[in-house]
Amino acid sequence: MATWIRVVVLVMACLLPASAECVVRQYNFDVVMKNTTKLCSTKPIVTINGKFPGPTIIAREDDILLIRVNNRVNYNVTIHWHGVKQFRTGWADGTAYITQCPIQPGESYVHNFTLTGQRGTLFYHAHIFWLRATLHGAIVILPKGGVPYPFPKPREEKVIVLAEWWKSDVEAVINEALQTGLTPNRSDTQTINGYAEPTSSCPSERGYTLQVEPGRTYMLRVINAALNEFLYFKIAGHDFTVVEVDASYTKPYKTDTVLIASGQTTNLLLTTNLGTGKFMISASPFKNKKIATGTLHYIGTPNDTATIVLTPIWPSENTSTPLVDNITDALRSLNSKEYPVTVPLKIDHSLFFTIGLGTMPCPTCTIGNRAVAHINNITFDSPTISLLQAHYFNIKGVYTDDFPANPPNQFDYTGTQPANPQTMHGTRVYRLPYNSTVQLVLQDTIRLALESHPMHLHGFSFYAVGSGLGNFNPIKDPKKFNLVDPVERNTISVPAGGWLAIRFRADNPGVWFMHCHIEVHTTWGMEMAFVVDNGNGPNESVLPPPHDLPKC
Ligand code: C2O
Ligand code: CU
């Protein structure tokens, strides 16, 4: 069916009485190579419509989006709408080899989905190879018409996309690492809204500048689109109030530092109460010294005024520290009458997944082994057609549904390193009946190194009901779970050397990827998928695939 016919059909559906305010928004995304002066580089990068970051999608809760992606580069491409629940529309999730085959060079694909039951800041990004380094942009979902924010209306809203950039081709960086079996190079710089750190060799651009009027409240929609880094976001001399994370409202939380893991979004209220001056905005990773900076500039302040700078005081590693833990533990769901918490209290599937790094024999690699990552000791093998197609069309031999509910061996996960760091591999999924409830405890393991992993689940948001250091204790720890106002997210960090418990209801049929959002760990196989079966009711099954679903 041609796109215009589909629009007519959708618009007619919108005329039905039940959906009086239904709006269809269309976007055209051309994936093209382009160089950007913001990076002071003449090397073209992969972009959407020549923009870095890509264009912001602005819509309202309940709107229908029709986004046509035209692949005009020499890579296979998919675009994922990170955090959008895709209720029954997994075909539009954009996850290569999980929900669709990639869009091949010269081909197009129309993503058709509705923004149901969500409002806030999300983002989109490529979900294949390392293309999301530069192929990403913001999604702003405003509340339904006439519905206010549950906090005072800000004077203005600003999107701030944080990312990281390699001077060399990112695909070459990861391919080289896979050939040698070693860790890929770190990025050359972080970016704020596409601006690299200003340098003397790049005088034409002065970095990202946020112009503000004094005495106002601004809402910053901050997105960590970096491939591999956790980022601390700070503005010299100013505090923030966090009001929303991952498109879910929180109780207002005051802080001067926010820690945003790769894949997370945070909405902040910023009050411009200093009246005048220039203040450094910084996005700084744990380890990498390449901090991205920008400037908060009070209107009327002369350009040659010295900027008040920040000196980094934050931890230098992604370990668990009081600062890191306080920032992560402090967030609570708003849990109001309008936005109630619906954490499952009765659990049907209680899962315990260990996560971590490991090794696998690799005769062609420099040291005979290559770095891998795992969930329950299984390194995920990507299939060659999508899991959702295999599930929907009942194609055998693509995956097995025997992903284990528990790790194969028990050991002191956060104690001494086990003698054998090798993992198994396979394309295994965990099957969930429609509407079943899940508790999943994610346990970091010492194999190779203790490290914090921001785990991301597609198709759902979940409640983070508890976390702690050391090994999870199934008797004692659940007693301390927060079942009243736990934060609701789609991406959350498992503490380094610790555990984290989440709960969700499997009310979205389809195939849903779960993985660490540190891209190098995804590449190494720290991923798995849930298959949620159809229910029996009228709106409880996966919709049929669109006619233009890309072919492998
Ligand atoms: Cu933002 Cu599966 O990713
Ligand atoms: Cu990880």
Side-chain angles (χ1 to χ4, degrees):
M1 192 170 22
T3 308
W4 70 268
I5 303 182
R6 270 205 266 177
V7 175
V8 171
V9 171
L10 283 165
V11 171
M12 281 166 52
C14 285
L15 297 175
L16 297 173
S19 44
E21 290 177 51
C22 165
V23 172
V24 180
R25 292 180 199 267
Q26 289 192 75
Y27 284 85
N28 192 65
F29 277 13
D30 287 324
V31 179
V32 289
M33 301 299 294
K34 177 89 191 169
N35 52 13
T36 150
T37 54
K38 288 177 182 175
L39 291 169
C40 281
S41 165
T42 50
K43 182 176 70 73
I45 54 172
V46 189
T47 67
I48 289 174
N49 298 351
K51 300 217 157 56
F52 176 61
T56 297
I57 292 179
I58 302 179
R60 282 192 189 280
E61 180 179 347
D62 285 348
D63 285 357
I64 295 169
L65 289 178
L66 280 184
I67 307 169
R68 183 187 181 89
V69 175
N70 306 305
N71 182 358
R72 311 244 185 271
V73 296
N74 289 328
Y75 300 106
N76 281 346
V77 168
T78 67
I79 304 289
H80 166 57
W81 321 94
H82 174 115
V84 173
K85 289 180 187 165
Q86 298 293 1
F87 186 62
R88 302 171 66 208
T89 51
W91 304 111
D93 195 40
T95 321
Y97 302 110
I98 305 299
T99 58
Q100 68 170 86
C101 294
I103 309 168
Q104 293 176 19
E107 301 294 315
S108 300
Y109 180 43
V110 179
H111 303 73
N112 175 350
F113 56 92
T114 305
L115 297 167
T116 311
Q118 291 180 282
R119 72 305 295 167
T121 308
L122 295 171
F123 70 119
Y124 61 83
H125 62 75
H127 211 300
I128 183 165
F129 317 124
W130 276 29
L131 292 180
R132 78 174 168 90
T134 55
L135 220 45
H136 60 247
I139 304 178
V140 171
I141 311 173
L142 300 169
K144 294 180 214 187
V147 176
Y149 292 128
F151 43 83
K153 189 177 175 347
R155 161 82 174 185
E156 232 183 285
E157 301 186 4
K158 302 278 183 185
V159 167
I160 297 190
V161 182
L162 311 177
E164 56 183 328
W165 179 62
W166 281 256
K167 288 188 177 139
S168 47
D169 179 0
V170 272
E171 293 311 311
V173 170
I174 183 59
N175 286 335
E176 187 195 309
L178 289 176
Q179 269 157 32
T180 57
L182 305 173
T183 305
N185 295 341
R186 276 177 180 263
S187 55
D188 293 294
T189 182
Q190 316 300 314
T191 56
I192 300 181
N193 279 348
Y195 289 94
E197 176 73 2
T199 60
S200 50
S201 61
C202 185
S204 58
E205 298 287 348
R206 304 203 333 277
Y208 171 66
T209 303
L210 175 59
Q211 301 274 359
V212 293
E213 288 172 43
R216 309 273 191 202
T217 300
Y218 291 80
M219 179 154 79
L220 309 184
R221 299 174 174 269
V222 191
I223 297 164
N224 183 347
L227 280 193
N228 297 323
E229 301 286 358
F230 290 73
L231 294 169
Y232 292 101
F233 182 78
K234 273 172 103 72
I235 300 181
H238 292 76
D239 284 343
F240 309 121
T241 305
V242 177
V243 289
E244 181 232 296
V245 294
D246 295 5
S248 173
Y249 292 128
T250 63
K251 293 201 168 73
Y253 169 65
K254 252 193 129 69
T255 177
D256 63 356
T257 309
V258 284
L259 175 58
I260 312 178
S262 169
Q264 292 183 327
T265 62
T266 304
N267 280 13
L268 307 166
L269 299 181
L270 166 76
T271 305
T272 49
N273 52 5
L274 294 187
T276 179
K278 286 165 64 186
F279 299 87
M280 183 195 276
I281 302 175
S282 87
S284 87
F286 279 119
K287 219 185 204 166
N288 202 330
K289 305 293 175 293
K290 303 291 167 51
I291 297 173
T293 62
T295 313
L296 178 78
H297 190 145
Y298 282 82
I299 290 169
T301 306
N303 278 339
D304 57 2
T305 306
T307 302
I308 311 290
V309 298
L310 281 157
T311 25
I313 42 129
W314 34 87
S316 62
E317 286 290 337
N318 59 346
T319 47
S320 176
T321 68
L323 176 65
V324 174
D325 296 345
N326 286 344
I327 298 171
T328 1
D329 291 351
L331 296 172
R332 295 277 181 270
S333 277
L334 183 60
N335 192 23
S336 62
K337 198 164 109 261
E338 292 80 14
Y339 303 99
V341 159
T342 54
V343 59
L345 299 177
K346 188 187 129 299
I347 297 300
D348 302 319
H349 290 254
S350 185
L351 310 177
F352 183 75
F353 289 0
T354 54
I355 56 173
L357 307 180
T359 60
M360 205 177 265
C362 170
T364 57
C365 292
T366 319
I367 50 168
N369 273 315
R370 70 181 192 94
V372 293
H374 69 90
I375 301 180
N376 272 352
N377 214 36
I378 300 164
T379 295
F380 187 82
D381 288 336
S382 188
T384 48
I385 69 157
S386 82
L387 301 182
L388 183 57
Q389 284 166 290
H391 167 64
Y392 189 86
F393 294 109
N394 209 358
I395 304 166
K396 300 281 175 238
V398 178
Y399 64 80
T400 54
D401 60 3
D402 57 352
F403 192 91
N406 290 284
N409 311 304
Q410 288 187 7
F411 59 100
D412 180 2
Y413 306 112
T414 51
T416 43
Q417 227 165 295
N420 178 4
Q422 281 191 13
T423 64
M424 309 178 282
H425 59 106
T427 309
R428 296 161 71 170
V429 305
Y430 192 91
R431 196 166 210 120
L432 291 166
Y434 178 79
N435 219 22
S436 55
T437 54
V438 181
Q439 174 176 295
L440 168 58
V441 176
L442 294 156
Q443 171 75 57
D444 187 25
T445 54
I446 180 95
R447 196 181 271 117
L448 294 196
L450 290 175
E451 206 175 322
S452 180
H453 299 281
M455 299 300 289
H456 170 54
L457 176 62
H458 290 219
F460 302 93
S461 54
F462 49 75
Y463 291 101
V465 295
S467 69
L469 292 180
N471 299 334
F472 175 68
N473 181 320
I475 311 290
K476 283 194 197 141
D477 288 326
K479 295 192 180 118
K480 292 177 279 181
F481 282 177
N482 174 6
L483 303 176
V484 178
D485 60 356
V487 70
E488 186 182 5
R489 316 201 65 136
N490 61 55
T491 306
I492 196 162
S493 303
V494 178
W499 57 271
L500 175 100
I502 63 172
R503 290 188 178 189
F504 64 97
R505 179 178 293 276
D507 55 2
N508 190 5
V511 179
W512 306 110
F513 207 28
M514 188 181 76
H515 59 96
C516 178
H517 215 272
I518 293 182
E519 195 61 29
V520 59
H521 295 170
T522 311
T523 309
W524 286 344
M526 192 182 284
E527 50 201 17
M528 56 82 65
F530 289 101
V531 168
V532 178
D533 285 324
N534 288 339
N536 300 320
N539 295 317
E540 298 178 356
S541 48
V542 179
L543 291 168
H547 74 107
D548 58 345
L549 185 71
K551 303 206 173 29
C552 279

